[in-house]
mmCIF file of all heavy atoms in Angstrom:
data_model
loop_
_atom_site.group_PDB
_atom_site.id
_atom_site.type_symbol
_atom_site.label_atom_id
_atom_site.label_comp_id
_atom_site.label_asym_id
_atom_site.label_seq_id
_atom_site.Cartn_x
_atom_site.Cartn_y
_atom_site.Cartn_z
ATOM 1 N N ILE B 242 103.848 138.803 18.947
ATOM 2 C CA ILE B 242 102.730 139.711 18.847
ATOM 3 C C ILE B 242 103.146 141.022 18.622
ATOM 4 O O ILE B 242 103.895 141.700 19.291
ATOM 5 C CB ILE B 242 101.953 139.620 20.166
ATOM 6 C CG1 ILE B 242 101.562 138.155 20.528
ATOM 7 C CG2 ILE B 242 100.582 140.394 20.134
ATOM 8 C CD1 ILE B 242 100.848 137.955 21.810
ATOM 9 N N GLY B 243 102.398 141.674 17.468
ATOM 10 C CA GLY B 243 102.505 143.200 17.465
ATOM 11 C C GLY B 243 101.257 143.754 17.738
ATOM 12 O O GLY B 243 100.097 143.343 17.435
ATOM 13 N N LEU B 244 101.262 144.808 18.586
ATOM 14 C CA LEU B 244 100.098 145.612 19.068
ATOM 15 C C LEU B 244 100.204 147.096 18.780
ATOM 16 O O LEU B 244 101.369 147.543 18.860
ATOM 17 C CB LEU B 244 99.953 145.393 20.626
ATOM 18 C CG LEU B 244 100.033 143.963 21.072
ATOM 19 C CD1 LEU B 244 100.201 143.914 22.572
ATOM 20 C CD2 LEU B 244 98.741 143.218 20.699
ATOM 21 N N ARG B 245 99.126 147.655 18.466
ATOM 22 C CA ARG B 245 99.264 149.151 18.320
ATOM 23 C C ARG B 245 99.431 149.692 19.751
ATOM 24 O O ARG B 245 98.596 149.552 20.661
ATOM 25 C CB ARG B 245 97.814 149.603 17.790
ATOM 26 C CG ARG B 245 97.852 151.117 17.446
ATOM 27 C CD ARG B 245 98.885 151.554 16.416
ATOM 28 N NE ARG B 245 98.446 151.162 15.103
ATOM 29 C CZ ARG B 245 99.281 151.009 14.053
ATOM 30 N NH1 ARG B 245 100.619 151.107 14.238
ATOM 31 N NH2 ARG B 245 98.863 150.676 12.863
ATOM 32 N N ALA B 246 100.489 150.502 19.900
ATOM 33 C CA ALA B 246 100.866 151.055 21.238
ATOM 34 C C ALA B 246 99.803 151.886 21.724
ATOM 35 O O ALA B 246 99.145 152.742 20.983
ATOM 36 C CB ALA B 246 102.161 151.759 21.135
ATOM 37 N N GLY B 247 99.532 151.792 22.964
ATOM 38 C CA GLY B 247 98.405 152.529 23.685
ATOM 39 C C GLY B 247 96.992 152.273 23.330
ATOM 40 O O GLY B 247 96.080 152.839 23.965
ATOM 41 N N GLU B 248 96.745 151.288 22.407
ATOM 42 C CA GLU B 248 95.458 151.120 22.059
ATOM 43 C C GLU B 248 94.923 149.594 22.272
ATOM 44 O O GLU B 248 93.871 149.289 21.861
ATOM 45 C CB GLU B 248 95.201 151.468 20.572
ATOM 46 C CG GLU B 248 95.467 152.969 20.396
ATOM 47 C CD GLU B 248 95.232 153.426 18.932
ATOM 48 O OE1 GLU B 248 94.873 152.625 18.092
ATOM 49 O OE2 GLU B 248 95.158 154.566 18.669
ATOM 50 N N VAL B 249 95.827 148.852 22.828
ATOM 51 C CA VAL B 249 95.431 147.501 23.330
ATOM 52 C C VAL B 249 95.849 147.270 24.663
ATOM 53 O O VAL B 249 96.975 147.480 25.087
ATOM 54 C CB VAL B 249 96.120 146.420 22.366
ATOM 55 C CG1 VAL B 249 95.783 145.056 22.758
ATOM 56 C CG2 VAL B 249 95.875 146.644 20.861
ATOM 57 N N LEU B 250 94.960 146.690 25.457
ATOM 58 C CA LEU B 250 95.171 146.491 26.877
ATOM 59 C C LEU B 250 96.071 145.183 27.025
ATOM 60 O O LEU B 250 95.972 144.136 26.298
ATOM 61 C CB LEU B 250 93.835 146.029 27.581
ATOM 62 C CG LEU B 250 92.877 147.208 27.788
ATOM 63 C CD1 LEU B 250 91.594 146.755 28.421
ATOM 64 C CD2 LEU B 250 93.541 148.213 28.953
ATOM 65 N N VAL B 251 97.113 145.259 27.739
ATOM 66 C CA VAL B 251 98.038 144.171 28.078
ATOM 67 C C VAL B 251 97.976 143.890 29.551
ATOM 68 O O VAL B 251 98.600 142.904 30.005
ATOM 69 C CB VAL B 251 99.496 144.407 27.505
ATOM 70 C CG1 VAL B 251 99.525 144.725 26.120
ATOM 71 C CG2 VAL B 251 100.174 145.573 28.336
ATOM 72 N N GLY B 252 97.517 144.742 30.367
ATOM 73 C CA GLY B 252 97.420 144.421 31.922
ATOM 74 C C GLY B 252 98.864 144.768 32.502
ATOM 75 O O GLY B 252 99.465 145.673 32.130
ATOM 76 N N ASP B 253 99.183 143.893 33.471
ATOM 77 C CA ASP B 253 100.523 144.017 33.994
ATOM 78 C C ASP B 253 101.644 143.861 33.147
ATOM 79 O O ASP B 253 102.016 142.762 32.815
ATOM 80 C CB ASP B 253 100.447 143.090 35.251
ATOM 81 C CG ASP B 253 101.793 143.229 36.074
ATOM 82 O OD1 ASP B 253 102.882 143.707 35.665
ATOM 83 O OD2 ASP B 253 101.620 142.946 37.367
#
Side-chain angles (χ1 to χ4, degrees):
Chain B
I242 306 179
L244 305 166
R245 185 65 74 204
E248 300 189 352
V249 179
L250 286 171
V251 301
D253 184 335

